[in-house]
Amino acid sequence: MSEDILGEWGTFVFLSEYPNMAPVSQDASTAVYQVEGFIERCGEPIVLAPPARWILRMESPNRAALEEATQTLVSQCGRPLIGVTQHLHYTTADQQAELLRVSAQPVDASGTGVAVLIPIAKSDAWWQLPHDERQRHFLQTERTEGHTAIGLRYADRIYRKLYHSRYIHPPQGFDFLTYFEFPEDLAEDFRALLSNLRDPELNPEWAFVKREIEIWLRKR
Ligand code: HEM
């Protein structure tokens, strides 16, 4: 694999206390097992120092290059999860301006950072809603804060990146790959963000999430 086909590389090690989400704990352990298997089968390219477990993040604006890299990975290591960044769907101009102004950058390579990957699938009921109803779930109302306003409270210290997987072929089993980075001492903040987002009283959108897997990693 030549280096110039990759937009970005990161190496991560699993945190020992990954995830503590009872409803999906079986899913989570399966996912971690799969990632471990995936990495172990890579053999040569990645040096494993047990008990460390590594995960790679690859990005490229060049689809052909990324597909070539993916083919190499698939042949050597098995199928990785794939997502693609997209235009915004539900963000208003004011929200976009505010998010651009405050949003955190990725954790500096010199610092100790935590990275969390959360693949998410939404229910058929969500995908059957018309666009205006889906968008309403991201907005603040008299009774609910909504996804974007909740997220805005954390955007200055939690780096985030959203990849869409719904229309990737072959099917990924997830609609989104959500990715976050933050300094280690903000882990409790991140957990509070998750708990707010998952509270349907605050954020009714989450009632449509049918599957999510939390994978906590340490960025090296
Ligand atoms: C760090 C603070 C966060 C902010 C500021 C934020 C903000 C946003 C915004 C503005 C959108 C709409 C994007 C669009 O217009 O298409 C969005 C989408 C999304 N966010 Fe967040 N978010 C945050 C945290 C999270 C977390 C922690 C998760 C997962 C646990 C998450 C999962 C998602 C997903 C899955 C979508 C796509 C939903 C869909 O298109 O149906 N977000 N987020």
Side-chain angles (χ1 to χ4, degrees):
M1 222 184 318
S2 72
E3 273 181 16
D4 57 355
I5 53 176
L6 302 175
E8 200 175 321
W9 276 98
T11 55
F12 306 90
V13 57
F14 282 102
L15 295 177
S16 54
E17 75 272 22
Y18 72 85
N20 56 355
M21 294 174 53
V24 292
S25 58
Q26 260 191 324
D27 262 348
S29 53
T30 309
V32 171
Y33 170 78
Q34 284 171 349
V35 174
E36 285 176 5
F38 162 69
I39 296 305
E40 275 160 10
R41 273 177 285 136
C42 282
E44 280 302 299
I46 301 157
V47 181
L48 272 179
R53 301 292 183 211
W54 299 89
I55 185 168
L56 297 171
R57 173 166 166 245
M58 286 196 317
E59 278 196 337
S60 174
N62 180 336
R63 184 179 175 145
L66 196 58
E67 277 176 2
E68 190 187 322
T70 303
Q71 284 314 314
T72 310
L73 272 177
V74 168
S75 64
Q76 293 181 5
C77 319
R79 191 158 286 287
L81 283 172
I82 301 173
V84 64
T85 54
Q86 273 191 7
H87 59 275
L88 295 171
H89 294 252
Y90 310 118
T91 310
T92 64
D94 286 349
Q95 289 168 338
Q96 183 182 20
E98 181 65 358
L99 282 166
L100 280 173
R101 197 178 64 78
V102 301
S103 286
Q105 294 301 308
V107 176
D108 192 277
S110 61
T112 316
V114 174
V116 183
L117 172 68
I118 311 182
I120 290 177
K122 283 187 165 174
S123 64
D124 290 346
W126 172 261
W127 296 106
Q128 281 159 15
L129 290 175
H131 179 267
D132 56 345
E133 286 185 23
R134 275 180 280 126
Q135 183 181 34
R136 206 171 300 144
H137 285 84
F138 284 82
L139 303 177
Q140 196 151 13
T141 68
E142 270 175 27
R143 285 186 303 157
T144 60
E145 195 176 5
H147 188 126
T148 307
I150 293 171
L152 251 170
R153 291 196 266 120
Y154 297 85
D156 63 339
R157 53 208 187 281
I158 309 283
Y159 168 77
R160 69 188 192 287
K161 192 131 188 190
L162 175 64
Y163 306 84
H164 294 253
S165 300
R166 184 168 174 79
Y167 299 108
I168 298 282
H169 185 78
Q172 301 288 298
F174 297 100
D175 298 318
F176 310 96
L177 305 179
T178 64
Y179 176 78
F180 308 91
E181 287 185 13
F182 44 87
E184 206 160 10
D185 58 356
L186 292 182
E188 282 316 306
D189 263 26
F190 185 70
R191 288 184 209 280
L193 162 63
L194 290 179
S195 136
N196 282 320
L197 275 179
R198 288 171 181 153
D199 179 349
E201 300 278 311
L202 292 175
N203 179 29
E205 173 224 359
W206 223 257
F208 294 93
V209 170
K210 72 170 183 197
R211 187 173 177 226
E212 58 173 323
I213 297 174
E214 251 178 69
I215 304 172
W216 285 65
L217 310 147
R218 174 165 291 122
K219 189 175 179 185
R220 288 275 170 91

